[in-house]
Amino acid sequence: MAAPCPPPPPDPQFVLRGTQSPVHALHFWEGAQAQGHPVLFSGQGRDLKLCLWDLAEGRNAVVDSVRLESVGFCRSSILAGGQPRWMLAVPGKGGDEVQILEMPSKTSVCALKPKADAKLGMPMCLRLWQADCNPRPLLLAGYEDGSVALWDVSEQKVCSHIACHEEPVMDLDFDSQKARGISGSAGKALAVWSLDGQQALQVRGTHELTNPGIAEITIRPDRKILATAGWDHRIRVFHWRTMQPLAVLAFHSAAVQCVAFAADGLLAAGSKDQRISLWSLYPRA
Amino acid sequence: MEPAPSGVRLVVREAIQTLSSSEDGGHIFSTLESLKRYLSEMEPPALPREKEEFASAHFSPVLRCLASRLSPAWLELLPDGRLEELWASFFLEGPADQAFLVLMETIEGTAGPSFRLMKMARLLARFLREGRLAVLMEVQCRQQTQPGFPLLRETLLGKVVALPDHLGNRLQRENLAEFFPQNYFRLLGEEVVRVLQAVADSLQGGLDSSVSFVAQVLGKACVHGRQQEMLGVLVPRLAALTQGSYLHQRVCWRPGGASSDRAMEAVLTGLVEAAPGPEVLSRLLGNLVVKNKKAQFVMTRKLLFLQSRLTTPMLQSLLGYLAMDSQRRPLLLQVLKELLETWGSSSAICHTPLPQQRHVSKAVLICLAHLREPELRDSRDELLASMMAGVKCRLDSSLPPVRCLGMVVAEVISARIHPEGPPLKFQYEEDELSLELLALASPQPAGNGASEAGISLAPATAEPPAETPTEIVDGGGPEAQLAGFDSELDSDDEFVPYDMSGDRELKSSKAPAYVRDCVEALTTSEDVERWEAALRALEGLVYRSPTATREVSVELAKVLLHLEEKTCVVGFAGLRQRALVAVTVTDPARVADYLTSQFYALNYSLRQRMDILDVLTLAAQELSRPGCLGRAPQPGSPSPNTQCLPAAAASQPGSAVTSDWRVVVEERIRSKTRRISKGGPRQGPAGGPSRFSSVAGHFFFPLLQHFDRPVVTFDLLGDDQLVLGRLTHTLGALMYLAVNTTVAVAMGKALLEFVWALRFHVDAYVRQGLLSAVSSVLLSVPAARLLEDLLDELLEAQSWLAGWSALARSWLTAALSSWTQVILPPQPPE
């Protein structure tokens, strides 16, 4: 290692307070890049509604909402490839289904239902993505039984399925360039897995954490580092390629529920303690 | 009588007369030429018989005469130094023994630094350079078979070996480099090699020769302590010579064997030290150990048991030598038995110095490595008995290295003697010593392949790479995308990890906020988390609220002293100790009274008693530190992220924050301030009354009261000598910390009496403690009072210390440096 004595962990750059309620989701909105849809999805509430917000020019009005059919922890995932129409994955009815909607028409394209004997439990997290070489959209879903499944949306079948956690998968993120993803669970481990040419998932390694519980995992857009939001009030930063732990940021006094990276590398974390902390770590060159 | 001998005599007599009186250069030259005929093949040649007579009867007188004539004027009788050349040739070409003796005699007989002395010394140097010593020894070796002159040989021997001494005495500062012992004995070594070679050649040629003169030279040089120079040259050369030739081996066995009993030890020690390995030693010594009683004694007893100067490689070559031949192997087993007996003897453990014990342990392990299973099986019971006795004694010892030796050796022995049974396994630190010992235990002769040490090390080194997830990348991802990785390898360095030491397991916050709550939680709480949180919070609470602590101080001390580790709490001992120290510091008199009274009470474990001592020492240290009032809790107490913004600080528990911002502000001021000169405004530590001064007696005197009164569970003067050792060290530390207090004199007096009572204690750790106690008395009591009030005690202590020098030199020097401080103007220790 370079320094014999590691530098002390940094302090947050800013602290945003005054939300008056726990923070559940965060998203950086780069105004210049948004293409006609300056919208933010709020996590679905207990009112079984997924809302679309208009944020342009400082507005904050609900423009539309999607009616959901299940109450769960699962966040939805969108795939907006620059087309006027885009795809939305939301947890569907029956507890174990994922529903794919076409937006903004809200047409239900299909429902991804695991085989009856699979016993995956509820979907806990979803990630829609599309490989560059392949026009067919794929969906990565983490399930309650600790497994991660790769769905081919158009064929409505599971391409690959691996069990990588003991506890329910809480969040996952996928790096489509390296074909590598990471998932965190309610347990004490992070799992790194990869996708090979035959679209088969393989566990590459696990990383033990000090305290159990990961609420969200986000890989920085430049794919150099990743951050996890921990139930242990701490944000952990790892080197994405080597999974070397880089920092443990202890600032919040309650569970951290979401982390997000801005395009310029700024890290934001929202916590149950009603504060949002902003950190500048390993600035992008 | 035939006419020829008288002819020689006449010629010589005439020549001597001419030499001693004539001043005519030409005449002298021709006279010398005529004499030279008897030495060399000059024309007209002399008869062999004449030569022989000249050499045996007339050569020495001629040389003496030549030596006596030497002067600057005499040498210049002929130009170009021709006369000098001729003169010198007599010494260099004639019989070497006589020439050598005359040279030495003349040098010894010449007073003071003079032209003649220097000339003779140079001539002697030349004599050495031209290899005449080898000729001398060779002749002696050849004459060995004839009835010789023991006296002459004895004289020669003495002069050859003592040459550097004689020359050094005579020449003083003018001494030549050739005669320095380190150079001379190297040369002598080379000459010995040459002689041995010549002897071997002449034996091959069917001539009778004996090497006993060479052996005597070697032996005598070794007795004079010159093994290193002589054998350093000899052994490598002989090792090469004896590589193939059996004859050479026979010749070389002799020097060792032919040494007199007196020189045997010196020669053998030198050989063992100089030999690069057991093979060489075996070639040079043959089976001498079996044949010669003295050699056997030296090799199997003296070098192993009575000395400890052999290094590990030397031990290995010595024991390897014993193991190499079937005739010698019984000796090896015998040695192992005796070694183990010594290793396991309680008296040896108690009385031999540590290096010696280490030496014996190493020897045991090397023996074991050499011996094979069947050989060990026969004497298994005997070995086992010695081992068990030894392990017991060693584990009882209060010195950690002795214990460590016991554990390592016992593990190895049990594994070798009882390969089928369950192996002994101890917990010891893997330090340099234990690793070295374990490495020795592995058999060298390609027996089991990988050594034990190697196996145990392998997983440790293999582990870290297995964890680094670089493999994750290497195997993963489609090949098309792998190309991008290389560029990323370079940019790795920018990610320097931050300090992650604060990453602990999250505990639910149930820590009590008041001291009384802590006491209650520690005594009654069934909730393990609350109990642990109370223990962690206690130290900080005690320092923060001294008044509240004083109300319950003794009760709290009692609780802490009896506290047991209910669940596995990381750092339990440290937490408990720090809390106890905090309580003691906050309310010194009462808590110290309580703790010291409990030290001699009935129902405590040794651990608790030692904890009491540690706490007293630490608290005394804390109290005597200048300006210790109102200090922040020590690092390690649960304080969250130490550096937080003022904005964030509001939500933190307020304790650590105040001192933190001060540090931050000071840091900023320092970074913004430019100092023109260094060393101005640095002020010393703020003065203030030592808080220890008023309570030192409470800490100290009760500990001295009952040490000689054993109770059922606690006998300081008996089995519990470990605690006694700790007690003496604690008393020494308390004494030291009481420097500059009024009570120091009384404490010193009491302590010296205590030391006097225990001065002959058998345990080394206790004795060390006593020494440190004495030195702290010397440090702490003012010099004037020391000489006034404590004179009698001091004199007694001094007489006791006088007998120590051999036992613990290092400790004594520490004590002596204290003595010098007594004489110097007293300075308060930092």
Side-chain angles (χ1 to χ4, degrees):
Chain A
M1 287 300 116
C5 178
D11 297 324
Q13 198 91 343
F14 303 104
V15 179
L16 310 179
R17 56 186 85 234
T19 57
Q20 312 262 317
S21 64
V23 183
H24 282 286
L26 281 174
H27 185 74
F28 278 101
W29 171 48
E30 320 287 336
Q33 292 169 12
Q35 303 167 352
H37 293 288
V39 287
L40 180 74
F41 291 93
S42 78
Q44 73 271 21
R46 286 179 182 265
D47 54 358
L48 290 180
K49 261 197 251 173
L50 186 69
C51 300
L52 274 72
W53 296 77
D54 181 6
L55 301 178
E57 296 163 4
R59 286 190 292 269
N60 56 346
V62 178
V63 289
D64 200 355
S65 68
V66 178
R67 177 86 191 158
L68 295 179
E69 300 184 31
S70 74
V71 184
F73 299 102
C74 187
R75 289 187 186 129
S76 54
S77 172
I78 51 174
L79 181 68
Q83 305 102 326
R85 296 194 301 179
W86 34 279
M87 197 178 269
L88 175 68
V90 294
K93 63 172 181 243
D96 58 353
E97 272 184 28
V98 179
Q99 204 173 13
I100 306 290
L101 301 176
E102 193 190 62
M103 297 297 281
S105 63
K106 296 195 266 181
T107 333
S108 173
V109 178
C110 57
L112 308 178
K113 190 172 164 60
K115 289 192 189 99
D117 56 344
K119 296 225 170 65
L120 296 179
M122 284 195 289
M124 304 297 288
C125 51
L126 305 168
R127 189 81 53 192
L128 270 175
W129 61 283
Q130 199 168 15
D132 294 336
C133 49
N134 191 344
R136 297 206 293 204
L138 298 167
L139 173 77
L140 278 163
Y143 285 95
E144 203 180 350
D145 72 339
S147 64
V148 172
L150 178 72
W151 288 87
D152 187 322
V153 175
S154 34
E155 291 189 16
Q156 300 178 36
K157 66 157 197 189
V158 178
C159 300
S160 178
H161 177 246
I162 44 164
C164 42
H165 294 283
E166 305 278 312
E167 304 281 329
V169 179
M170 296 309 293
D171 195 32
L172 56 84
D173 201 358
F174 187 71
D175 172 2
S176 55
Q177 268 196 23
K178 289 188 181 126
R180 231 153 53 98
I182 180 165
S183 57
S185 73
K188 267 189 160 182
L190 295 176
V192 178
W193 27 264
S194 68
L195 189 61
D196 63 13
Q198 278 78 47
Q199 308 225 312
L201 292 168
Q202 267 177 304
V203 178
R204 285 293 175 188
T206 56
H207 186 90
E208 198 72 15
L209 298 172
T210 317
N211 292 307
I214 289 295
E216 186 168 1
I217 293 186
T218 309
I219 301 173
R220 198 162 79 175
D222 66 351
R223 297 182 310 279
K224 292 264 164 108
I225 59 175
L226 68 103
T228 65
W231 293 354
D232 60 350
H233 315 178
R234 291 177 193 138
I235 305 154
R236 285 159 207 280
V237 180
F238 295 88
H239 190 254
W240 171 221
R241 187 168 60 77
T242 63
M243 282 307 286
Q244 180 199 10
L246 293 177
V248 177
L249 307 173
F251 165 76
H252 290 285
S253 53
V256 184
Q257 297 186 326
C258 45
V259 280
F261 278 107
D264 63 353
L266 198 65
L267 167 66
S271 160
K272 215 172 171 178
D273 67 358
Q274 312 188 355
R275 291 184 288 174
I276 299 170
S277 54
L278 291 167
W279 308 76
S280 175
L281 292 176
Y282 307 109
R284 298 176 65 172
Chain B
M1 284 293 259
E2 288 164 68
S6 58
V8 177
R9 186 176 299 151
L10 279 176
V11 171
V12 170
R13 192 183 299 157
E14 204 172 298
I16 287 180
Q17 264 179 3
T18 316
L19 287 176
S20 48
S21 58
S22 171
E23 297 294 326
D24 176 4
H27 189 39
I28 293 174
F29 192 77
S30 62
T31 314
L32 284 177
E33 290 271 77
S34 71
L35 284 180
K36 192 80 189 288
R37 275 189 324 128
Y38 297 113
L39 290 178
S40 55
E41 306 299 318
M42 277 166 67
E43 288 297 318
L47 297 169
R49 193 193 297 166
E50 285 178 340
K51 279 188 178 179
E52 203 171 298
E53 191 196 340
F54 179 77
S56 61
H58 306 298
F59 187 55
S60 295
V62 170
L63 286 185
R64 279 198 195 97
C65 171
L66 281 176
S68 68
R69 283 299 289 168
L70 186 65
S71 72
W74 191 77
L75 285 181
E76 275 164 28
L77 288 176
L78 277 183
D80 305 337
R82 272 163 63 204
L83 193 54
E84 185 176 357
E85 197 47 46
L86 190 61
W87 169 81
S89 71
F90 272 83
F91 288 91
L92 297 175
E93 287 166 29
D97 46 352
Q98 296 182 46
F100 181 72
L101 283 179
V102 171
L103 273 173
M104 292 299 288
E105 190 184 288
T106 319
I107 288 173
E108 278 161 51
T110 312
S114 65
F115 173 80
R116 214 169 100 188
L117 184 60
M118 286 319 291
K119 260 288 175 251
M120 294 310 281
R122 293 236 169 72
L123 184 60
L124 181 59
R126 195 167 152 204
F127 183 86
L128 296 181
R129 265 203 306 279
E130 296 192 359
R132 297 300 287 172
L133 266 187
V135 178
L136 186 154
M137 288 189 277
E138 217 179 306
V139 171
Q140 289 303 316
C141 287
R142 212 160 295 145
Q143 283 175 355
Q144 198 83 59
T145 44
Q146 304 154 7
F149 317 94
L151 195 61
L152 176 71
R153 281 170 49 106
E154 205 55 44
T155 319
L156 264 180
L157 188 63
K159 299 261 183 206
V160 166
V161 175
L163 184 136
D165 300 341
H166 287 304
L167 268 291
N169 277 339
R170 190 52 46 204
L171 296 176
Q172 307 275 349
R173 277 150 199 274
E174 316 276 300
N175 204 354
L176 303 179
E178 284 93 333
F179 306 136
F180 292 165
Q182 61 268 39
N183 298 334
Y184 175 74
F185 284 104
R186 286 185 171 283
L187 179 115
L188 191 56
E190 274 166 27
E191 302 292 49
V192 166
V193 176
R194 206 174 299 164
V195 174
L196 286 178
Q197 209 160 359
V199 168
D201 289 344
S202 70
L203 281 177
Q204 245 162 353
L207 273 170
D208 237 2
S209 273
S210 151
V211 290
S212 76
F213 183 73
V214 175
Q216 280 170 339
V217 169
L218 183 61
K220 197 151 180 147
C222 289
V223 168
H224 281 229
R226 294 295 165 187
Q227 293 108 322
Q228 228 185 336
E229 285 93 351
M230 286 286 278
L231 295 170
V233 174
L234 258 179
V235 169
R237 302 281 295 276
L238 290 183
L241 272 181
T242 51
Q243 193 88 52
S245 154
Y246 186 68
L247 182 73
H248 276 108
Q249 285 191 17
R250 286 303 299 264
V251 171
C252 292
W253 288 349
R254 296 288 300 163
S259 323
S260 60
D261 278 0
R262 209 149 48 92
M264 183 71 82
E265 183 191 344
V267 175
L268 286 180
T269 316
L271 278 176
V272 170
E273 281 172 5
E279 299 82 15
V280 173
L281 201 58
S282 177
R283 283 212 298 273
L284 293 185
L285 288 178
N287 268 340
L288 183 67
V289 205
V290 187
K291 292 178 197 145
N292 187 315
K293 274 264 175 286
K294 172 89 178 178
Q296 189 174 357
F297 174 75
V298 170
M299 295 286 268
T300 61
R301 295 208 60 87
K302 196 149 187 185
L303 286 179
L304 292 173
F305 294 97
L306 305 178
Q307 296 178 346
S308 55
R309 65 172 176 169
L310 291 193
T311 61
T312 313
M314 294 173 193
L315 263 181
Q316 269 171 330
S317 59
L318 169 57
L319 294 168
Y321 161 72
L322 291 181
M324 274 184 79
D325 191 282
S326 58
Q327 287 190 39
R328 291 176 234 146
R329 280 191 86 89
L331 277 179
L332 186 66
L333 192 63
Q334 184 62 32
V335 162
L336 175 63
K337 281 181 197 165
E338 283 168 10
L339 278 171
L340 256 186
E341 211 166 288
T342 310
W343 183 83
S345 129
S346 63
S347 138
I349 293 170
C350 200
H351 295 112
T352 49
L354 199 58
Q356 171 76 36
Q357 298 192 26
R358 205 175 294 162
H359 180 83
V360 169
S361 306
K362 279 183 193 165
V364 167
L365 294 181
I366 297 173
C367 279
L368 278 175
H370 281 298
L371 284 168
R372 283 187 286 268
E373 227 51 75
E375 290 168 300
L376 287 172
R377 198 170 302 137
D378 296 338
S379 38
R380 176 190 278 186
D381 293 336
E382 203 176 328
L383 296 176
L384 210 57
S386 310
M387 180 198 90
M388 294 313 278
V391 172
K392 185 186 170 305
C393 296
R394 276 172 191 274
L395 291 183
D396 281 347
S397 167
S398 54
L399 298 177
V402 176
R403 288 203 294 272
C404 177
L405 283 179
M407 293 188 277
V408 176
V409 176
E411 272 185 14
V412 176
I413 297 176
S414 74
R416 285 306 308 278
I417 299 181
H418 264 294
E420 67 279 0
L424 272 180
K425 194 75 200 152
F426 293 100
Q427 284 184 327
Y428 48 87
E429 282 177 39
E430 288 221 334
D431 55 1
E432 213 172 307
L433 174 65
S434 61
L435 286 180
E436 189 193 348
L437 289 175
L438 285 177
L440 285 181
S442 61
Q444 274 97 20
N448 294 358
S451 64
E452 262 182 67
I455 290 168
S456 68
L457 278 177
T461 48
E463 222 161 346
E467 236 179 316
T468 50
T470 32
E471 296 162 25
I472 296 173
V473 168
D474 293 346
E479 272 73 46
Q481 285 160 5
L482 275 171
F485 291 171
D486 290 342
S487 61
E488 280 177 324
L489 285 175
D490 307 334
S491 58
D492 255 8
D493 290 346
E494 60 193 273
F495 299 108
V496 180
Y498 289 98
D499 180 23
M500 276 169 287
S501 55
D503 186 21
R504 295 213 198 82
E505 292 207 14
L506 197 66
K507 293 276 157 28
S508 56
S509 50
K510 290 179 175 178
Y514 299 98
V515 177
R516 273 181 197 281
D517 287 353
C518 276
V519 178
E520 191 232 309
L522 288 177
T523 45
T524 58
S525 177
E526 292 297 314
D527 181 351
V528 176
E529 282 188 17
R530 185 172 153 77
W531 182 84
E532 190 186 334
L535 185 59
R536 286 190 191 280
L538 191 54
E539 191 201 4
L541 282 178
V542 167
Y543 279 124
R544 231 172 295 141
S545 47
T547 330
T549 307
R550 268 181 219 121
E551 289 168 16
V552 290
S553 58
V554 173
E555 192 191 343
L556 184 54
K558 194 184 213 166
V559 169
L560 285 171
L561 187 59
H562 291 91
L563 201 62
E564 278 171 13
E565 194 171 2
K566 282 188 192 168
T567 56
C568 178
V569 177
V570 181
F572 169 81
L575 285 170
R576 170 169 163 251
Q577 187 184 55
R578 283 208 299 274
L580 258 176
V581 170
V583 177
T584 317
V585 169
T586 314
D587 193 7
R590 275 193 288 164
V591 178
D593 281 343
Y594 170 73
L595 288 178
T596 48
S597 70
Q598 297 308 300
F599 181 71
Y600 288 108
L602 201 58
N603 291 322
Y604 283 97
S605 68
L606 297 187
R607 179 71 256 166
Q608 280 169 314
R609 293 183 208 272
M610 289 198 280
D611 285 344
I612 290 177
L613 293 176
D614 290 347
V615 165
L616 287 175
T617 314
L618 289 172
Q621 191 180 8
E622 198 60 49
L623 285 169
S624 64
R625 183 180 296 165
C628 71
L629 296 146
R631 70 190 246 300
Q634 287 186 352
S637 59
S639 73
N641 191 3
T642 46
Q643 291 187 335
C644 36
L645 286 176
S651 66
Q652 303 285 328
S655 68
V657 176
T658 39
S659 61
D660 279 345
W661 70 253
R662 201 161 282 144
V663 170
V664 171
V665 169
E666 270 169 20
E667 186 62 43
R668 272 188 206 158
I669 290 175
R670 207 175 309 137
S671 67
K672 297 271 174 12
T673 313
R674 181 184 295 171
R675 298 208 184 277
I676 308 296
S677 70
K678 289 196 174 172
R682 186 166 299 172
Q683 58 194 40
S690 162
R691 290 202 292 158
F692 187 53
S693 154
S694 54
V695 292
H698 293 277
F699 281 70
F700 186 81
F701 292 111
L703 287 181
L704 280 178
Q705 271 167 2
H706 300 289
F707 76 93
D708 48 356
R709 274 173 244 167
V711 290
V712 186
T713 51
F714 188 45
D715 181 9
L716 263 187
L717 297 185
D719 287 343
D720 300 325
Q721 47 186 242
L722 177 63
V723 186
L724 185 62
R726 293 291 277 271
L727 176 65
T728 53
H729 280 96
T730 304
L731 290 172
L734 291 175
M735 184 70 231
Y736 175 75
L737 292 169
V739 68
N740 298 332
T741 60
T742 45
V743 75
V745 179
M747 282 168 72
K749 204 173 173 74
L751 189 55
L752 284 180
E753 276 165 14
F754 172 77
V755 169
W756 180 244
L758 288 176
R759 66 198 184 283
F760 293 128
H761 200 277
V762 289
D763 190 68
Y765 185 60
V766 174
R767 291 197 303 264
Q768 279 181 5
L770 294 178
L771 263 187
S772 84
V774 171
S775 39
S776 59
V777 169
L778 299 175
L779 279 172
S780 292
V781 180
R785 302 295 305 277
L786 204 57
L787 299 178
E788 220 171 89
D789 299 353
L790 302 182
L791 196 57
D792 290 347
E793 284 87 352
L794 267 187
L795 289 176
E796 282 171 348
Q798 193 188 16
S799 67
W800 170 64
L801 286 175
W804 263 72
S805 53
L807 271 171
R809 211 173 291 272
S810 59
W811 280 84
L812 195 56
T813 43
L816 285 177
S817 72
S818 320
W819 278 100
T820 57
Q821 290 208 357
V822 171
I823 299 159
L824 294 170
Q827 292 171 334
E830 288 290 315

